[in-house]
Amino acid sequence: MAGNQAVSTDMGVGLSVLFVLVAVVGAAVTFATPGTEIAAWGFATAVVAGVLAITATHLYSN
């Protein structure tokens, strides 16, 4: 007899780790080039990647 099987994925964790790494790079760019437009883009990248990391965790949670 066939039973029910639950299939889980780690995609949420993997995407979260990826976006956190992108956020760290964005924060490093902000820290390395203070007071420039590049720093602003680094900050924006860090914020957006942080939001996407949290979103991925919530979307792919079981």
Side-chain angles (χ1 to χ4, degrees), residues 18-37:
L18 174 69
F19 288 130
V20 165
L21 291 175
V22 172
V24 168
V25 169
V29 167
T30 302
F31 183 72
T33 59
T36 64
E37 187 176 345

